[in-house]
Amino acid sequence: MSSPSSSSTPSPYPAPHPTNSLLLAYQVRTRTILLAGGGPVAASRLYHLLCARPKKLVLFAPDNEDIDDEFRWRVEGESEDAKKGREGIEIEWRKQEFDPTQNKEDLALLDGDEIDMVLTAIPNPTLSTKICRLCRARRIPVNVADVPPECDFYFGSVLRRGSLGVMVSTQGKGPRVAARIRRKLERAIPENAGEAIENVGQLRKGLREIEKGTGKEAIERRMGWMIRVSDKWSLAQLGEMDERMRNEVLAGWEKDEARGYWDVNRGKYGGLGWLASFASRLGVGTCPVVKDPDGSAAKCPFVMGSTGFVLGAATAGAVAAFWMRRQ
Amino acid sequence: MSSPSSSSTPSPYPAPHPTNSLLLAYQVRTRTILLAGGGPVAASRLYHLLCARPKKLVLFAPDNEDIDDEFRWRVEGESEDAKKGREGIEIEWRKQEFDPTQNKEDLALLDGDEIDMVLTAIPNPTLSTKICRLCRARRIPVNVADVPPECDFYFGSVLRRGSLGVMVSTQGKGPRVAARIRRKLERAIPENAGEAIENVGQLRKGLREIEKGTGKEAIERRMGWMIRVSDKWSLAQLGEMDERMRNEVLAGWEKDEARGYWDVNRGKYGGLGWLASFASRLGVGTCPVVKDPDGSAAKCPFVMGSTGFVLGAATAGAVAAFWMRRQ
């Protein structure tokens, strides 16, 4: 029914990228997850699960020499770090194989209401396939490690910085390329990006305590000020924002002033911070070509090239002057 | 039970980052998803869903002036682009409100086996809450737009390049910071990264046709060669790898040669590509400080700074020479 001209009209909206999967941050705080297996792959799954902080983990793995060291440490380690990693998560390690095809208790677990998700990482493909079928028949999302057709979800390559999570997914087409992209992103995201997110949240909270209005105007004024402030801070600087800095920034609200990092850190560098504050107002320190609040002059090809040029010219000039004097 | 010394022992494994959610690429190719609402938020959800390519979408929205233009275009648009966007996805638009509390047919839909996931983006919070409860009672994952406690999953800020998907999630703590990080990542990932993934897949497939061995040694030799080859190509170059280039790269397998982009493009630039090939063997073109196959000299502060220095010195030298001649 489409008219011949319609195909030549440019599309008014972006075309969907057929990624073939829905990228989600799945909430599991009230969920119970079953993990079968105790080897290195199970240990890596367990790490992901501990980050996600479910209500409960039911682990199935016979307690023998095949248990991965990391797996055991995360489940049973007595050090502060190991305990902190599983804090607030109920962990039940059933020291046997998970086999709902043989063991009625295991099947009852799938039939009951408790299990919300099943992950298997066991060296038994036949059993895995059977577990997958049983889960699917019960609409329990399932992931069989290394067998894409038996996965209702993939994990992708994940980068974590505190409460920031970045997942790189290639639909299983290029795990190595995914990891390469993840490493590239690791260099692009500052170490303290997780704190930056927390600190922006704290600032927003602090602002709401000063300006409590719930009307449209108050909301818009708050939002506008938040945008102006946060655009003045790089991500790394936001990550450094402590209570003192936050209070000084909030003190700018009444005057409708958006204070940047250097405006509240003038005392730094033996009192020379005001110089940095002045420089940052002029836009020195970030790249004048790509106006990125997170860009630094050291990463700007224009700044580095022209600085090099000036230094080179000065050096050559000095050499020439020195040489001419000697003549 | 932990001994006093154990807390001072450094942790042997990375501590979990409490992101409080499981980042997943959820597979929906065989799933049916229900979306309630037809406004701008629903349109944005619809875009995500079309990218994910579910088996079927059941849309609920009264067909009136509140329907967002993009929503209507994606569902009913007759242009090639609009049709291509929904190709292979069964779309059923029920032109009425979704109200399982009043309408028995709607409730039957939730009670039945068809619906695997429910998304609402409707301007009725009370109804949304009721829909959420009905879904949870039936273990159907649900997302109520803008109401985090009523979401079993969040969407995060997503960057797409063909089959590559990158999700930035901040647990709803900082949607603006998430979008800022996503824009930063957009600059870090080449436009054709999606093709790069496809092309690496094609190369791997081509290799398996030449070397069919399934033994451990054959697998390891194949994997080693694939790693050596792909590390010689930047992501952007991998994205350009067409059939001719692929065949020339594969021709290097017999000689155990890992051919880079310039090795198979010597004819470029009027036959001067061999110069680029030679230069890339010397490591020119990428940053000598950060040895990143995806880094370019133009982004390397060291290369730009020193190039600027040399050019500056040369310019000053030329000026001095010219000036001295005139004396």
CSV table of all heavy atoms in Angstrom, one decimal, chain A residues 263-303:
chain,number,residue,atom,x,y,z
A,263,ASP,N,35.5,27.0,42.3
A,263,ASP,CA,34.9,28.1,43.1
A,263,ASP,C,34.8,27.7,44.6
A,263,ASP,O,34.9,28.6,45.4
A,263,ASP,CB,33.5,28.4,42.6
A,263,ASP,CG,33.5,28.9,41.1
A,263,ASP,OD1,34.5,29.5,40.8
A,263,ASP,OD2,32.6,28.6,40.4
A,264,VAL,N,34.8,26.4,44.8
A,264,VAL,CA,34.6,26.0,46.2
A,264,VAL,C,36.0,25.4,46.7
A,264,VAL,O,36.0,24.8,47.8
A,264,VAL,CB,33.5,25.0,46.5
A,264,VAL,CG1,32.2,25.6,46.0
A,264,VAL,CG2,33.7,23.7,45.7
A,265,ASN,N,37.0,25.5,45.9
A,265,ASN,CA,38.3,24.9,46.3
A,265,ASN,C,39.4,26.0,46.1
A,265,ASN,O,40.5,25.6,45.7
A,265,ASN,CB,38.6,23.6,45.5
A,265,ASN,CG,37.8,22.5,46.1
A,265,ASN,OD1,38.0,22.1,47.3
A,265,ASN,ND2,37.0,21.9,45.3
A,266,ARG,N,39.1,27.2,46.4
A,266,ARG,CA,40.1,28.3,46.1
A,266,ARG,C,41.3,28.2,47.0
A,266,ARG,O,42.4,28.7,46.7
A,266,ARG,CB,39.4,29.7,46.3
A,266,ARG,CG,38.5,29.9,45.1
A,266,ARG,CD,38.0,31.3,45.0
A,266,ARG,NE,37.0,31.3,44.0
A,266,ARG,CZ,36.3,32.3,43.6
A,266,ARG,NH1,36.4,33.4,44.3
A,266,ARG,NH2,35.4,32.2,42.6
A,267,GLY,N,41.0,27.6,48.2
A,267,GLY,CA,42.1,27.5,49.2
A,267,GLY,C,43.2,26.4,48.8
A,267,GLY,O,44.2,26.3,49.5
A,268,LYS,N,42.9,25.6,47.8
A,268,LYS,CA,43.8,24.5,47.4
A,268,LYS,C,45.1,25.0,46.9
A,268,LYS,O,45.2,26.2,46.5
A,268,LYS,CB,43.1,23.7,46.4
A,268,LYS,CG,42.6,22.3,46.9
A,268,LYS,CD,42.3,21.4,45.7
A,268,LYS,CE,42.1,20.0,46.2
A,268,LYS,NZ,41.8,19.1,45.1
A,269,TYR,N,46.1,24.2,46.9
A,269,TYR,CA,47.4,24.5,46.4
A,269,TYR,C,48.0,25.7,47.1
A,269,TYR,O,48.4,26.7,46.5
A,269,TYR,CB,47.4,24.8,44.9
A,269,TYR,CG,46.9,23.6,44.1
A,269,TYR,CD1,46.0,23.7,43.0
A,269,TYR,CD2,47.4,22.3,44.4
A,269,TYR,CE1,45.6,22.6,42.3
A,269,TYR,CE2,47.0,21.2,43.7
A,269,TYR,CZ,46.1,21.3,42.7
A,269,TYR,OH,45.7,20.2,42.0
A,270,GLY,N,48.0,25.7,48.4
A,270,GLY,CA,48.6,26.8,49.2
A,270,GLY,C,47.9,28.1,48.9
A,270,GLY,O,48.6,29.2,48.8
A,271,GLY,N,46.6,28.1,48.7
A,271,GLY,CA,45.9,29.4,48.5
A,271,GLY,C,45.9,29.8,47.1
A,271,GLY,O,45.4,30.9,46.7
A,272,LEU,N,46.5,29.0,46.2
A,272,LEU,CA,46.5,29.4,44.7
A,272,LEU,C,45.3,28.9,43.9
A,272,LEU,O,45.3,29.0,42.7
A,272,LEU,CB,47.9,29.0,44.1
A,272,LEU,CG,49.0,29.9,44.5
A,272,LEU,CD1,50.3,29.3,44.0
A,272,LEU,CD2,48.8,31.3,44.0
A,273,GLY,N,44.4,28.2,44.6
A,273,GLY,CA,43.2,27.7,44.0
A,273,GLY,C,42.4,28.7,43.2
A,273,GLY,O,41.8,28.4,42.2
A,274,TRP,N,42.5,30.0,43.7
A,274,TRP,CA,41.7,31.1,43.0
A,274,TRP,C,42.2,31.2,41.6
A,274,TRP,O,41.4,31.6,40.7
A,274,TRP,CB,41.8,32.4,43.8
A,274,TRP,CG,43.2,33.0,43.8
A,274,TRP,CD1,44.1,32.7,44.8
A,274,TRP,CD2,43.8,33.8,42.8
A,274,TRP,NE1,45.3,33.4,44.4
A,274,TRP,CE2,45.1,34.1,43.2
A,274,TRP,CE3,43.3,34.4,41.6
A,274,TRP,CZ2,46.0,34.8,42.5
A,274,TRP,CZ3,44.2,35.2,40.9
A,274,TRP,CH2,45.6,35.4,41.3
A,275,LEU,N,43.5,30.9,41.3
A,275,LEU,CA,44.0,31.0,40.0
A,275,LEU,C,43.4,30.0,39.1
A,275,LEU,O,43.0,30.3,38.0
A,275,LEU,CB,45.5,30.8,40.1
A,275,LEU,CG,46.4,31.4,39.0
A,275,LEU,CD1,46.4,32.9,39.1
A,275,LEU,CD2,47.8,30.9,39.1
A,276,ALA,N,43.2,28.8,39.7
A,276,ALA,CA,42.6,27.7,38.9
A,276,ALA,C,41.1,28.0,38.7
A,276,ALA,O,40.6,27.8,37.6
A,276,ALA,CB,42.7,26.4,39.7
A,277,SER,N,40.5,28.7,39.7
A,277,SER,CA,39.1,29.1,39.6
A,277,SER,C,38.9,30.1,38.4
A,277,SER,O,38.1,30.0,37.5
A,277,SER,CB,38.6,29.7,40.9
A,277,SER,OG,37.5,30.5,40.7
A,278,PHE,N,39.9,31.0,38.4
A,278,PHE,CA,39.9,32.1,37.3
A,278,PHE,C,40.1,31.4,35.9
A,278,PHE,O,39.4,31.6,35.0
A,278,PHE,CB,41.0,33.1,37.6
A,278,PHE,CG,41.1,34.2,36.6
A,278,PHE,CD1,40.1,35.1,36.5
A,278,PHE,CD2,42.2,34.2,35.8
A,278,PHE,CE1,40.2,36.2,35.6
A,278,PHE,CE2,42.3,35.3,34.8
A,278,PHE,CZ,41.3,36.2,34.7
A,279,ALA,N,41.1,30.5,35.9
A,279,ALA,CA,41.4,29.8,34.7
A,279,ALA,C,40.2,29.0,34.2
A,279,ALA,O,39.9,29.0,33.0
A,279,ALA,CB,42.6,28.9,34.9
A,280,SER,N,39.5,28.3,35.1
A,280,SER,CA,38.4,27.4,34.7
A,280,SER,C,37.3,28.3,34.2
A,280,SER,O,36.5,27.9,33.3
A,280,SER,CB,38.0,26.5,35.8
A,280,SER,OG,37.2,27.2,36.7
A,281,ARG,N,37.1,29.5,34.7
A,281,ARG,CA,36.1,30.5,34.2
A,281,ARG,C,36.4,30.8,32.7
A,281,ARG,O,35.5,31.0,31.9
A,281,ARG,CB,36.1,31.7,35.0
A,281,ARG,CG,34.9,31.8,36.0
A,281,ARG,CD,35.3,32.8,37.1
A,281,ARG,NE,34.7,32.3,38.3
A,281,ARG,CZ,33.6,32.6,38.8
A,281,ARG,NH1,32.8,33.5,38.2
A,281,ARG,NH2,33.1,32.1,39.9
A,282,LEU,N,37.7,30.9,32.4
A,282,LEU,CA,38.1,31.3,31.0
A,282,LEU,C,38.0,30.1,30.1
A,282,LEU,O,38.2,30.2,28.9
A,282,LEU,CB,39.6,31.8,31.0
A,282,LEU,CG,39.8,33.1,31.7
A,282,LEU,CD1,41.3,33.5,31.7
A,282,LEU,CD2,39.0,34.2,31.1
A,283,GLY,N,37.8,28.9,30.7
A,283,GLY,CA,37.7,27.7,29.9
A,283,GLY,C,39.0,27.0,29.7
A,283,GLY,O,39.1,26.0,29.0
A,284,VAL,N,40.1,27.5,30.4
A,284,VAL,CA,41.3,26.8,30.4
A,284,VAL,C,41.2,25.5,31.1
A,284,VAL,O,40.5,25.4,32.1
A,284,VAL,CB,42.5,27.7,31.0
A,284,VAL,CG1,43.8,27.0,31.0
A,284,VAL,CG2,42.5,29.0,30.3
A,285,GLY,N,41.8,24.5,30.7
A,285,GLY,CA,41.8,23.2,31.4
A,285,GLY,C,40.9,22.2,30.7
A,285,GLY,O,41.1,21.0,30.8
A,286,THR,N,39.9,22.7,29.9
A,286,THR,CA,39.2,21.8,29.1
A,286,THR,C,39.5,22.1,27.6
A,286,THR,O,40.0,23.2,27.3
A,286,THR,CB,37.7,21.8,29.4
A,286,THR,OG1,37.3,23.2,29.2
A,286,THR,CG2,37.3,21.3,30.7
A,287,CYS,N,39.1,21.2,26.8
A,287,CYS,CA,39.4,21.4,25.4
A,287,CYS,C,38.5,22.4,24.7
A,287,CYS,O,37.3,22.3,24.9
A,287,CYS,CB,39.3,20.0,24.7
A,287,CYS,SG,39.5,20.1,22.9
A,288,PRO,N,39.0,23.4,24.0
A,288,PRO,CA,38.2,24.4,23.4
A,288,PRO,C,37.5,23.9,22.2
A,288,PRO,O,36.5,24.5,21.7
A,288,PRO,CB,39.1,25.6,23.1
A,288,PRO,CG,40.5,24.9,22.9
A,288,PRO,CD,40.5,23.7,23.8
A,289,VAL,N,37.9,22.8,21.6
A,289,VAL,CA,37.3,22.3,20.4
A,289,VAL,C,36.1,21.4,20.8
A,289,VAL,O,35.0,21.7,20.5
A,289,VAL,CB,38.3,21.4,19.6
A,289,VAL,CG1,37.7,21.0,18.3
A,289,VAL,CG2,39.6,22.3,19.3
A,290,VAL,N,36.4,20.3,21.6
A,290,VAL,CA,35.3,19.5,22.1
A,290,VAL,C,34.9,20.0,23.4
A,290,VAL,O,35.6,19.9,24.4
A,290,VAL,CB,35.7,18.0,22.2
A,290,VAL,CG1,34.5,17.2,22.6
A,290,VAL,CG2,36.4,17.5,21.0
A,291,LYS,N,33.8,20.7,23.6
A,291,LYS,CA,33.4,21.3,24.8
A,291,LYS,C,32.8,20.3,25.8
A,291,LYS,O,31.6,20.2,25.9
A,291,LYS,CB,32.5,22.5,24.6
A,291,LYS,CG,33.1,23.7,23.9
A,291,LYS,CD,32.7,25.0,24.5
A,291,LYS,CE,33.4,26.2,23.8
A,291,LYS,NZ,34.6,26.6,24.4
A,292,ASP,N,33.6,19.4,26.3
A,292,ASP,CA,33.2,18.3,27.2
A,292,ASP,C,33.6,18.6,28.6
A,292,ASP,O,34.8,18.8,28.9
A,292,ASP,CB,33.9,17.1,26.7
A,292,ASP,CG,33.7,15.9,27.6
A,292,ASP,OD1,32.8,16.0,28.4
A,292,ASP,OD2,34.4,14.9,27.4
A,293,PRO,N,32.6,18.7,29.5
A,293,PRO,CA,33.0,19.0,30.9
A,293,PRO,C,33.9,17.9,31.5
A,293,PRO,O,34.6,18.2,32.4
A,293,PRO,CB,31.7,19.0,31.6
A,293,PRO,CG,30.7,18.4,30.8
A,293,PRO,CD,31.2,18.6,29.4
A,294,ASP,N,34.0,16.8,30.9
A,294,ASP,CA,34.8,15.7,31.4
A,294,ASP,C,36.1,15.6,30.6
A,294,ASP,O,37.0,14.8,30.9
A,294,ASP,CB,34.1,14.4,31.3
A,294,ASP,CG,32.8,14.4,32.1
A,294,ASP,OD1,32.9,15.0,33.2
A,294,ASP,OD2,31.8,13.9,31.7
A,295,GLY,N,36.3,16.4,29.6
A,295,GLY,CA,37.5,16.4,28.8
A,295,GLY,C,38.6,17.2,29.6
A,295,GLY,O,38.3,18.1,30.3
A,296,SER,N,39.8,16.8,29.4
A,296,SER,CA,40.9,17.5,30.1
A,296,SER,C,41.8,18.1,29.0
A,296,SER,O,41.9,17.5,27.9
A,296,SER,CB,41.7,16.7,31.1
A,296,SER,OG,42.6,15.8,30.4
A,297,ALA,N,42.5,19.2,29.3
A,297,ALA,CA,43.4,19.8,28.3
A,297,ALA,C,44.4,18.7,27.8
A,297,ALA,O,44.8,18.7,26.7
A,297,ALA,CB,44.1,21.0,28.9
A,298,ALA,N,44.9,17.9,28.8
A,298,ALA,CA,45.9,16.9,28.4
A,298,ALA,C,45.4,15.9,27.4
A,298,ALA,O,46.2,15.2,26.7
A,298,ALA,CB,46.4,16.2,29.7
A,299,LYS,N,44.1,15.8,27.3
A,299,LYS,CA,43.6,14.8,26.3
A,299,LYS,C,43.1,15.5,25.0
A,299,LYS,O,42.6,14.9,24.1
A,299,LYS,CB,42.4,14.0,26.9
A,299,LYS,CG,42.9,12.9,27.8
A,299,LYS,CD,41.7,12.2,28.4
A,299,LYS,CE,42.2,11.2,29.4
A,299,LYS,NZ,41.1,10.8,30.3
A,300,CYS,N,43.3,16.9,25.0
A,300,CYS,CA,42.8,17.6,23.8
A,300,CYS,C,43.9,17.8,22.8
A,300,CYS,O,45.0,18.4,23.1
A,300,CYS,CB,42.3,19.0,24.3
A,300,CYS,SG,42.0,20.1,22.9
A,301,PRO,N,43.8,17.2,21.6
A,301,PRO,CA,44.9,17.2,20.6
A,301,PRO,C,45.2,18.7,20.3
A,301,PRO,O,46.4,19.0,20.1
A,301,PRO,CB,44.3,16.5,19.4
A,301,PRO,CG,43.0,15.9,19.8
A,301,PRO,CD,42.6,16.4,21.1
A,302,PHE,N,44.2,19.6,20.2
A,302,PHE,CA,44.4,21.0,19.9
A,302,PHE,C,45.3,21.7,20.9
A,302,PHE,O,46.3,22.3,20.6
A,302,PHE,CB,43.1,21.7,19.7
A,302,PHE,CG,43.2,23.1,19.5
A,302,PHE,CD1,43.5,23.6,18.2
A,302,PHE,CD2,43.0,24.0,20.5
A,302,PHE,CE1,43.6,25.0,18.0
A,302,PHE,CE2,43.1,25.4,20.3
A,302,PHE,CZ,43.4,25.9,19.0
A,303,VAL,N,44.9,21.5,22.2
A,303,VAL,CA,45.7,22.1,23.2
A,303,VAL,C,47.1,21.6,23.3
A,303,VAL,O,48.1,22.3,23.3
A,303,VAL,CB,45.0,21.9,24.6
A,303,VAL,CG1,45.9,22.4,25.8
A,303,VAL,CG2,43.7,22.7,24.7
